[in-house]
Amino acid sequence: MSAITRDEVAHLAQLARLAVTDSELDHFAAQLDVILNSVARVAEVAADDIPPTTHAVPLTNVLRPDEPGSCLDRDTVLLAAPATEQGRFRVPRILDIEE
Amino acid sequence: MSDFIGRGAAELAGLVADGTASAREITQAHLDRIATTDDRVHAFLRVDVEGALAAADAVDARRAAGERLPALAGVPIAVKDIVVTKGIETTAASKILRGWIPPYDATIVTKLRAAGLIMLGKTNLDEFGMGSSTENSAYGPSRNPWDLLRTPGGTSGGSSAAVAAYQAPLAIGTDTGGSIRQPASLTGIVGHKPTYGAVSRNGLIAFSSSLDQAGPFARTVLDTALLHQVIAGHDAADSTSLDQPVPGVVDAVRLGGSADLTGVTVGVVSNLAGDGYESGVVEATQSTVIRLEQLGAKVVEVSCPHFDYALAAYYLIAPSECSSNLARFDAMRYGLRVGDDREASLESVMARTREAGFGAEVKRRIMIGTYALSSGYYDAYYGQAQKVRTLIGRDFTAAFETCDVLVSPTSPTVAFRLGERTDDPLAMYAADLCTLPASLAGVPAISVPCGISDGLPVGLQIMAPVLADDRCYRVAAALEASMDTPVLAAAPAL
């Protein structure tokens, strides 16, 4: 497996919504490279015809009766919100200013 | 030190039930013990004095009213701070959740409260359950009561330290790759990771959903089983919860208490030994295996070749699930928000919040997971790791055709020094070497104290097939019954 570059780490951080600093980029690039080289060992196992396991104890079609139950009330939920407005979550702008 | 400190959960519950002691006295004694020792141990992130005393008074009132109390009523318990508790701050040891007051209780907390257990407070952990030493806590590490310069293990190190320091007779931990078993081993107590799906995950802050499992800590195997019985069982609020009867773990302890293992075949996993295993740990394990043979067990050696790849598979699967699960920390509905000046974009607020709120290990795992799941790398990393997971499960299936249980050291080393591995992620990951196969296969596994090396405790891991948790308890109880004094008795007084 090829080494991971500083630019790739910056791209990963952007995908993962992490505003990492320049010094962190250097630090993480070196560490992620070592970790990824180590875990790449899984490729040594011949497993072409082996089905993947997503859950250790597989369950399928877990159903329950479609009946209304109780839920948290709005005021209780909004108590934990970082910002609220008019009984709703207030979020940062999602459009550019000029739009 | 109060008379109640050091007594086990079964004994304390008996005192409450027959009126010899009140739940309030017992709770106060443990709160006092925390007050005099936790400045050194740092097991707790917060102690709920008022809530604990109120819960104790409620138990005393139930008894005074003539009610028959549940088995562990009036017994204090410590709960890992990754389990949400209504009205009590829950942080998962992360800055991103500082100050968060959950609006609901986890299913297991509801069960603890209904059973009359007294929650003393919330214990420290590695942030979001990622680490092996509690050093990834945003609020500082916990310390091992055996040696305050060493780790109590992780990630449930606050819970293990609290029980080993006699601050609580019981604790709840969670185990994704070894986070109950390894801390139990490093502090000389008992810890069990139940079969995946046996204990509800509703209200556990998710790290790696296909692996996370809550379980009990205690100083004796019986107390561990009693707590297991309280928290286990099907929960409709967790779609991965198994709708199966809870194995008879308490009966299994009573069976094991006779210290007779005639008819039990114990497999020693040859792959969980070798490089990286301390000689003192290997010797303690070997002499424990001889002891199991003396108790009547048939001992065979088994090979599980794919266990050699468990570490690599785990450190792809867990970070992948982590990168997905932790996307919920987006600064919108709860938790920290940074940089919202009403001008900054949504994306910049998210990125600045997550940068400020997550610690280094969490960021590393999110990025590894993002990488492993990205197109072009998915098949080689995540996809291949899932196939290796299948092969590890098949190794277990094959081994359990001839063996009732499998054993290994719980940890390749005794408790290591704080700071020793913090700059080397791979060295830290190696602490999970022995515990990862059972996690990936979803099988139950217990760690029980089995010896001492260099003045520090060693644990034996006992693994069993899915939903045969009772076998872990039976063998652990037999081993415990065969020992003259508990391993923890050798710990220096705090």
Side-chain angles (χ1 to χ4, degrees), chain B residues 68-415:
Chain B
R68 220 193 117 148
L69 297 173
L72 291 176
V75 178
I77 187 166
V79 176
K80 187 180 185 180
D81 200 31
I82 202 164
V83 180
V84 306
T85 43
K86 186 177 182 174
I88 303 171
E89 184 186 2
T90 300
T91 64
S94 180
K95 281 189 284 189
I96 211 161
L97 280 178
R98 176 178 285 188
W100 181 54
I101 312 286
Y104 70 107
D105 272 330
T107 297
I108 57 173
V109 173
T110 305
K111 289 183 178 221
L112 295 178
R113 292 191 202 272
L117 283 135
I118 313 298
M119 203 161 59
L120 296 170
K122 306 296 292 290
T123 54
N124 197 18
L125 64 149
D126 290 287
E127 184 177 5
F128 288 111
M130 299 180 207
S132 304
S133 68
T134 70
E135 290 168 289
N136 294 332
S137 168
Y139 306 104
S142 298
R143 293 168 181 279
N144 194 319
W146 288 72
D147 176 349
L148 296 170
L149 297 177
R150 291 174 190 269
T151 174
T155 65
S156 312
S159 288
S160 67
V163 173
Y166 302 100
Q167 296 172 334
L170 298 172
I172 294 290
T174 61
D175 188 314
T176 304
S179 286
I180 291 173
R181 292 161 283 161
Q182 183 255 19
S185 175
L186 268 45
T187 55
I189 64 169
V190 185
H192 181 67
K193 182 198 86 75
T195 298
Y196 178 82
V199 176
S200 171
R201 290 188 301 110
N202 176 47
L204 265 53
I205 297 173
F207 151 29
S208 184
S209 301
S210 78
L211 298 161
D212 296 342
Q213 187 60 201
F217 282 108
R219 291 186 292 266
T220 66
V221 180
L222 174 63
D223 285 357
T224 311
L226 287 167
L227 180 55
H228 181 123
Q229 208 144 54
V230 170
I231 59 174
H234 180 248
D235 179 14
D238 171 4
S239 63
T240 59
S241 173
L242 296 176
D243 196 0
Q244 301 279 345
V246 178
V249 292
V250 175
D251 290 342
V253 174
R254 304 208 193 278
L255 180 63
S258 63
D260 180 4
L261 290 177
T262 308
V264 176
T265 304
V266 173
V268 180
V269 183
S270 59
N271 308 77
L272 298 177
D275 281 354
Y277 288 74
E278 282 176 357
S279 59
V281 170
V282 172
E283 282 160 25
T285 307
Q286 283 168 348
S287 56
T288 305
V289 169
I290 292 169
R291 185 187 286 260
L292 294 175
E293 210 162 15
Q294 288 163 349
L295 298 177
K298 180 184 167 195
V299 174
V300 297
E301 188 168 292
V302 290
S303 169
C304 297
H306 298 98
F307 284 16
D308 297 347
Y309 296 92
L311 191 82
Y314 176 87
Y315 278 99
L316 284 164
I317 291 168
S320 295
E321 294 187 13
C322 143
S323 71
S324 168
N325 266 323
L326 270 62
R328 79 191 64 216
F329 297 100
D330 58 5
M332 299 301 131
R333 292 153 301 156
Y334 50 85
L336 187 69
R337 180 182 288 186
V338 173
D340 178 17
D341 57 4
R342 293 189 176 250
E343 295 291 317
S345 69
L346 184 85
E347 187 179 332
S348 115
V349 170
M350 279 185 191
R352 288 183 60 190
T353 301
R354 289 161 63 83
E355 168 64 12
F358 290 143
E361 179 62 18
V362 173
K363 290 178 194 168
R364 275 193 289 271
R365 294 208 195 180
I366 289 173
M367 287 193 283
I368 299 257
T370 304
Y371 184 82
L373 292 174
S374 54
S375 72
Y377 299 106
Y378 183 98
D379 289 343
Y381 287 99
Y382 183 65
Q384 178 74 5
Q386 286 184 310
K387 291 177 175 182
V388 172
R389 187 174 185 180
T390 303
L391 292 168
I392 289 167
R394 289 182 184 178
D395 281 357
F396 270 112
T397 305
F400 286 134
E401 274 170 19
T402 51
C403 303
D404 297 301
V405 295
L406 301 179
V407 299
S408 75
T410 306
S411 162
T413 70
V414 292

